[in-house]
Amino acid sequence: MKKLFTLLALSALLFTGLSCSSDDNALTVTPPVEEEIPPVVVDPKDQVRFLPHLIEVETGTTVRFAVMLGKQDTVDFDLYVNQVKQDTTAYTFDKAGIYTLVAKKEGYKDSDEHTITAMDKLIVSPKVESEIVEGTMVEFTVKTLDGTLIEGADILLNNQKVTTPWKAVAGNYDLRASKQGYIKSEPTKITVKQMPALFITNETSNNIIEATQVLFEVVSKDGSPVEGVELFIGDNPITNPWKATVGTHQIIAKKQGYQDSKPFQIIVIAKPKATGHIYFENKRFETDHTELAFVGFKTIHYADPTQYAVWRETTISTDKTGRCEVFFATPAIVNEDFTYTAIDPSMTKDITWMEVNVYINNRRAFAYGIKEQIKGRYRIIGSDRPYYINAEYFVEIKDGTKLLFSQRFNGERKVYNYTFNL
């Protein structure tokens, strides 16, 4: 038609030129100009495009999709999931897996394929029946919403991976679980309580004499006694009371549900070597044990109302067949309330030696009274532990130059009924 239209136009022009030939002017003919047809360009707005959305979703999640048509968004389109047309533009990802989505609309190019992965979300909880206390070895249960147990999941506490079982440390934590192919669990708040501490409260810890029975007192922070505690020196358990052995020891108290006590240092020294003897009538007994007892306040002279502090030293032979009792007196101080205070042997040289009794196999063999020429010395050196003193002790009786009796004992002895201020 266009060609026909051109030919007609040319004929008309030619006819016009011929009718004007009388002008002597040449006929000018304009050649036809070809019309350039522009190339076809696909406008991006002609393709359906999904609006931005998730690439991972939790199973059971329903997602309603929208698309862009040019610069406008709309829900008026057809949604295909795994090549199956859906009735609506919403889709529920009810099973774990990989889903391919395409949006289509008549008159537009189909959207690019978009992939969404549906995964089960993890749920994690500690395997404990009550509150968690530090030091507890805690295991964790990881499962999905339908109760399926999941093995091999990573346990995260405040986003730090921990090994399981986990030895609990006091503090507050966000607990999560993660595993490839699953959605990480939501944070679960857990609190680990600090364990109550144990304390060993013995007052005396230095210069304990070996073989002493040491009873340890273990309490909580408020001072309340704690029962059922185990005591250790290093990794070795000990009894309570404990028979002290020579050395410097660190005692630790332990009990389930409590912090271990701080090491309690105790120094145990070797038992001082005690030496002595009992001698009378050419018989001699070696001794290694003696005791001092405060008897009380008494008069010791006839018709003299003066009160004295009376003491008794009992010495036993090593073979246990001989025993000697020596009674002696030291001055007593009258108090304002008419009570008395003893002057102990370490504070005075004014000692009255009163009586000596010697027993053989528990039968008294010899006795000496105050009328005899009894001489002696009692010097207290010090004390290494409560209720004991170290002293040098010597008593003898002579008849002229003849030695009738002697007793000597240097070393430690237990004291009864009196506390020395040393």
Side-chain angles (χ1 to χ4, degrees), residues 271-278 285-292 313-320 322-325 385 388 393 407-416:
K271 185 177 181 180
K273 188 175 181 181
T275 60
H277 69 267
I278 303 170
F285 297 84
E286 299 300 322
T287 59
D288 61 4
H289 180 84
T290 191
E291 297 174 347
L292 176 64
E313 182 91 8
T314 303
T315 307
I316 301 173
S317 67
T318 303
D319 63 7
K320 311 301 186 205
R323 184 175 90 249
C324 179
E325 291 181 344
R385 52 176 173 161
Y388 285 81
Y393 166 54
Q407 176 174 291
R408 185 183 300 273
F409 193 94
N410 297 328
E412 187 185 53
R413 72 267 281 134
K414 190 170 184 179
V415 179
Y416 294 89

Side-chain angles (χ1 to χ4, degrees), residues 48-54 63-69 72-79 88-91 101-104 111 114 116:
V48 181
R49 292 182 293 117
F50 278 110
L51 289 175
H53 51 75
L54 297 174
V63 180
R64 182 171 295 279
F65 295 93
V67 298
M68 293 291 293
L69 301 177
Q72 300 295 320
D73 60 276
T74 180
V75 293
D76 182 17
F77 68 99
D78 293 325
L79 176 65
T88 69
T89 57
Y91 186 77
L101 286 76
V102 175
K104 298 183 179 184
S111 72
H114 191 81
I116 292 181

Side-chain angles (χ1 to χ4, degrees), residues 80-221:
Y80 287 74
V81 178
N82 293 341
Q83 300 181 351
V84 177
K85 183 179 178 181
Q86 305 300 310
D87 294 335
T88 69
T89 57
Y91 186 77
T92 299
F93 297 86
D94 54 0
K95 293 182 180 180
I98 299 175
Y99 295 79
T100 302
L101 286 76
V102 175
K104 298 183 179 184
K105 185 173 178 63
E106 186 176 355
Y108 289 82
K109 290 181 63 178
D110 294 350
S111 72
D112 293 333
E113 288 186 349
H114 191 81
T115 300
I116 292 181
T117 302
M119 297 182 290
D120 290 327
K121 179 178 281 189
L122 298 176
I123 300 171
V124 61
S125 60
K127 292 181 181 179
V128 292
E129 296 181 356
S130 58
E131 63 184 16
I132 305 174
V133 179
E134 68 174 326
T136 304
M137 300 305 294
V138 182
E139 294 186 347
F140 301 89
T141 298
V142 181
K143 58 186 178 180
T144 57
L145 187 61
D146 64 3
T148 303
L149 292 176
I150 305 299
E151 302 292 339
D154 292 335
I155 302 300
L156 307 175
L157 292 172
N158 292 344
N159 289 323
Q160 298 295 318
K161 182 179 176 180
V162 298
T163 58
T164 54
W166 171 63
K167 187 175 183 179
V169 178
N172 297 314
Y173 299 91
D174 283 335
L175 168 64
R176 304 186 78 177
S178 67
K179 186 177 182 180
Q180 183 71 26
Y182 294 86
I183 296 177
K184 185 185 294 184
S185 67
E186 294 295 328
T188 300
K189 300 288 186 183
I190 64 170
T191 298
V192 178
K193 289 192 174 182
Q194 188 176 44
M195 286 191 296
L198 294 174
F199 300 88
I200 299 176
T201 59
N202 290 50
E203 294 182 0
T204 303
S205 61
N206 295 328
N207 297 329
I208 302 297
I209 304 298
E210 68 172 318
T212 300
Q213 293 290 328
V214 181
L215 180 65
F216 294 98
E217 300 171 358
V218 183
V219 301
S220 59
K221 187 175 182 180

Side-chain angles (χ1 to χ4, degrees), residues 292-295 297 309 311 341-347 380 387-389 414-421:
L292 176 64
F294 176 65
V295 177
F297 297 103
W311 310 81
T341 300
I343 297 179
D344 63 57
S346 64
M347 302 296 294
I380 298 175
Y387 313 115
Y388 285 81
I389 60 171
K414 190 170 184 179
V415 179
Y416 294 89
N417 307 327
Y418 190 82
T419 301
F420 288 98
N421 185 21

Side-chain angles (χ1 to χ4, degrees), residues 259-270:
Q259 296 181 51
D260 294 352
S261 70
K262 293 181 179 179
F264 179 82
Q265 180 171 288
I266 185 169
I267 300 174
V268 180
I269 61 175

